[in-house]
Amino acid sequence: MRQVALYVCVLLLLASASQGQGIGRGGAADSAVARKPVKLSRKERRELARSASQVSVAPKVAALSPKEREMGEALFVDGVKYVILEDYPKALERLLKAYTLMPDNPAVNYKLAEANLLSGNLRDATGYAESAVRLDGKNPYYYLLLAQAQASQKQYEAATTTYASLVREVPNSGNYLFQLADLYLAQNKLPEALATLDKAQQQFGAMDEISFKKQQIYLRQNNLPLALKEGENLIAANPTEPRYVLAQAEMYAANNRLPDAIRVAQQALRLDPDNPQARLILADVYRQQNQPAEVEKELRLAFQNPSLDIDQEVRIIVGYLKQLPDEKYNALTLDLAAAAVRSHPKEAKAYSIAGDVQTLTGKKREARDTYLRALKYDNSKYQLWQQVVVLDAELNQTDSLLVHSDRALELFPNQAPLWFYNGVGHLLKKQPQRAVQALEHGRKLALANTELLGQFDAQLGDAYQELKDYTKSDAAYDAALANDPNNYGVLNNYSYYLSLRNEKLDKAKEMSGRTVKQFPDNDTYLDTYAWVLYKQKDYAGARQNLERALKTTKDASILEHYGDVLWQLGDHPGAVAAWQRARKAGPGTSPLLDRKIKEQKLYE
């Protein structure tokens, strides 16, 4: 029954179209607009092109016999069916045959245009649509299909001409003036767009859409007075609508009419006392007037409103991030970030930006925890994971560093920095073998980043030293220094470990000496240099550098080293006293310290 109904319906449409009434009123063109074009294969295109070339020269049929008319109508119905089923090759085959019988039927031309448009054959779609318009110049859908085919080929002038013809030729088609105005705007034909909107206004009276579009045109023409006048018209027509008042205030602010901007923004607040956009406009105006206290006040009031969009809040806070850390802005930025979190408690962006603010203002522990809350709502952001593990490392929270880097690596196994921090965590946990595994794997991922590669080599030097694989340790240190000869951390560690092994002491002295020269007050570097000198039996030089170090530290290991040096210099009571102070100072001493104190004798 459905097929019979469709057949009867299409026959009625065909008959009305052949009499100049058109077909598809009420949505036939809309179907072409809504459906996505389907590209035909090259073979299908060749076959259809051959058929089209044959029908293009077909003579006009003066009169059809009843049998021919019935055949043409059946082919047309079949073609329409296949268009609905989106089988465009079959649809075009049937419609082209119908066209050979009824080339002057606008409905047939229209359906051919639609089928070609939907199958991606834009040139033929344009040709058949032009024929449909020529055969029935009163059907708006024929113009719309033609304009769509032209616009799809970026023939905007032609599409504009088609819309202009539609408005001119088809009765009661004034509603298409708005699309025509948009086409003029797209081509930057501002006078034509204004003239078209004036026609729409004459036909439909004052409308918000018309005033708004005219206002945008006046702004593009740098005609501020007329743009403001249209804004006043919008406000007058919508006295209880804050958005038009706000748009007017923004226009005043953007054009340095600051008192007017304040006046109109306050007008919006009388309509909606909690409106955050009005507060932001006022904050911007006060910023231009260099009134920081008023800026703060308005921003805080705006951020108190949960309706303020999170993206807008983030943009404002990002503006302050560039100023941090700065005592003038720290408190305000922290408060705004906290307000964003309160207003959007399940929004990862709020926690992320708050973590950034806390990081830059030195609140590292709070920042790490805030980033973790962001990851609770969105764990897909690698940058957040990286921030977390970096802060774990800076806070010396080794267990957290390993937990978080392991979780991050499950999501981002190809990110070299995560492997680096995972390796550092294992190294800090005295798990050098696992550290080497993580660091060697990450190093392979960092080959294109020389700076990061140097950091991997530095940590691998430490890890292999712990494993007593001194050949690999030295090679890693040498690679790190080849990448950055002034890596003072590597210079210090490398020279210290060489001194412990009593190997390459001249090289150790040169590296440690460079480090101390650059950082003459660093107690750790002074201790290393002193210990290299000690190993070279330069006890006086060692004593001098250790006494410099002890001016700034009471580190247990440095005190123990000082005692060893004093013993070698013959000051045995001074040595024992230094060892005793080392035991009281805390951990970091050698396992031999208690024996040295008990027996009052140097053991190495």
Side-chain angles (χ1 to χ4, degrees), residues 366-377:
E366 296 91 330
R368 193 276 309 274
D369 294 342
T370 302
Y371 286 132
L372 287 172
R373 295 183 71 183
L375 290 168
K376 176 183 176 182
Y377 295 104

Side-chain angles (χ1 to χ4, degrees), residues 285-567:
V285 172
Y286 291 135
R287 185 179 294 108
Q288 294 181 62
Q289 293 181 332
N290 195 26
Q291 299 185 54
E294 293 299 320
V295 172
E296 275 199 37
K297 173 187 171 184
E298 296 300 337
L299 284 176
R300 292 178 188 277
L301 288 169
F303 272 66
Q304 286 177 10
N305 194 323
S307 68
L308 185 60
D309 181 67
I310 180 61
D311 290 327
Q312 195 167 8
E313 292 182 347
V314 168
R315 283 194 297 272
I316 293 168
I317 296 172
V318 165
Y320 282 99
L321 282 181
K322 300 170 185 177
Q323 311 294 329
L324 301 181
D326 187 324
E327 290 302 321
K328 290 191 299 184
Y329 301 112
N330 285 355
L332 172 63
T333 314
L334 284 165
D335 288 347
L336 295 182
V341 168
R342 286 194 301 272
S343 296
H344 308 278
K346 295 185 178 181
E347 178 58 70
K349 293 177 184 177
Y351 294 104
S352 177
I353 194 67
D356 291 344
V357 174
Q358 290 165 337
T359 300
L360 290 171
T361 53
K363 299 179 180 297
K364 294 183 178 181
R365 187 179 298 273
E366 296 91 330
R368 193 276 309 274
D369 294 342
T370 302
Y371 286 132
L372 287 172
R373 295 183 71 183
L375 290 168
K376 176 183 176 182
Y377 295 104
D378 183 2
N379 67 357
S380 67
K381 298 294 187 295
Y382 163 69
Q383 291 80 4
L384 290 176
W385 285 107
Q386 180 169 299
Q387 288 290 86
V388 166
V389 297
V390 167
L391 289 169
D392 281 335
E394 292 181 2
L395 293 166
N396 293 317
Q397 295 194 355
T398 307
D399 291 337
S400 296
L401 174 60
L402 286 172
V403 169
H404 296 144
S405 59
D406 282 339
R407 286 174 56 193
L409 283 168
E410 292 176 5
L411 297 169
F412 305 99
N414 295 323
Q415 288 292 343
L418 295 178
W419 288 104
F420 174 81
Y421 283 105
N422 188 257
V424 169
H426 285 299
L427 196 54
L428 293 172
K429 288 288 286 184
K430 305 299 182 183
Q431 299 168 342
Q433 188 59 56
R434 298 184 69 178
V436 164
Q437 292 172 352
L439 291 168
E440 289 287 11
H441 183 83
R443 189 183 189 282
K444 295 174 185 176
L445 299 173
L447 293 176
N449 186 334
T450 55
E451 182 179 352
L452 183 56
L453 197 63
Q455 294 177 29
F456 271 105
D457 287 327
Q459 295 299 319
L460 281 166
D462 293 348
Y464 280 122
Q465 170 68 29
E466 290 292 320
L467 291 171
K468 295 182 170 50
D469 190 339
Y470 302 132
T471 300
K472 287 185 178 179
S473 176
D474 290 357
Y477 284 140
D478 286 333
L481 291 173
N483 181 63
D484 180 8
N486 294 320
N487 187 325
Y488 295 104
V490 172
L491 289 169
N492 178 74
N493 289 3
Y494 194 5
S495 56
Y496 183 68
Y497 290 132
L498 287 175
S499 71
L500 291 180
R501 287 150 44 192
N502 210 25
E503 296 178 2
K504 305 175 187 176
L505 293 179
D506 288 339
K507 180 176 182 177
K509 181 179 178 180
E510 185 274 331
M511 291 190 297
S512 184
R514 285 170 52 200
T515 307
V516 167
K517 184 178 180 180
Q518 186 68 25
F519 302 96
D521 298 320
N522 185 295
D523 54 82
T524 299
Y525 294 164
L526 286 166
D527 177 55
T528 297
Y529 189 53
W531 202 243
V532 173
L533 296 176
Y534 178 89
K535 289 289 186 174
Q536 291 183 318
K537 302 186 186 308
D538 182 359
Y539 302 124
R543 176 179 181 172
Q544 181 183 3
N545 281 278
L546 286 171
E547 287 177 348
R548 285 172 58 192
L550 288 170
K551 289 179 181 179
T552 58
T553 184
K554 299 300 177 185
D555 181 86
S557 65
I558 296 177
L559 283 166
E560 183 180 1
H561 286 166
Y562 185 55
D564 293 353
V565 169
L566 292 177
W567 182 275

Side-chain angles (χ1 to χ4, degrees), residues 14-51:
L14 180 62
S16 66
S18 65
Q19 296 168 6
Q21 299 302 312
I23 72 166
R25 294 180 186 269
D30 296 340
S31 65
V33 175
R35 268 180 273 170
K36 185 178 179 180
V38 177
K39 293 289 185 182
L40 301 181
S41 67
R42 189 173 297 177
K43 181 178 179 181
E44 290 170 332
R45 285 185 175 279
R46 282 200 300 268
E47 291 299 323
L48 291 171
R50 187 180 301 113
S51 301

Side-chain angles (χ1 to χ4, degrees), residues 54-83:
Q54 292 172 355
V55 300
S56 64
V57 296
K60 291 185 179 181
V61 180
L64 296 177
S65 66
K67 185 176 181 180
E68 288 172 330
R69 176 172 293 279
E70 182 180 350
M71 183 184 300
E73 291 171 348
L75 288 166
F76 180 80
V77 170
D78 228 14
V80 171
K81 179 185 72 175
Y82 284 115
V83 170

Side-chain angles (χ1 to χ4, degrees), residues 212-226:
F212 182 75
K213 287 188 176 182
K214 289 174 74 172
Q215 186 182 55
Q216 301 310 303
I217 294 171
Y218 290 137
L219 286 174
R220 286 167 66 172
Q221 290 179 327
N222 293 318
N223 192 335
L224 182 62
L226 286 180

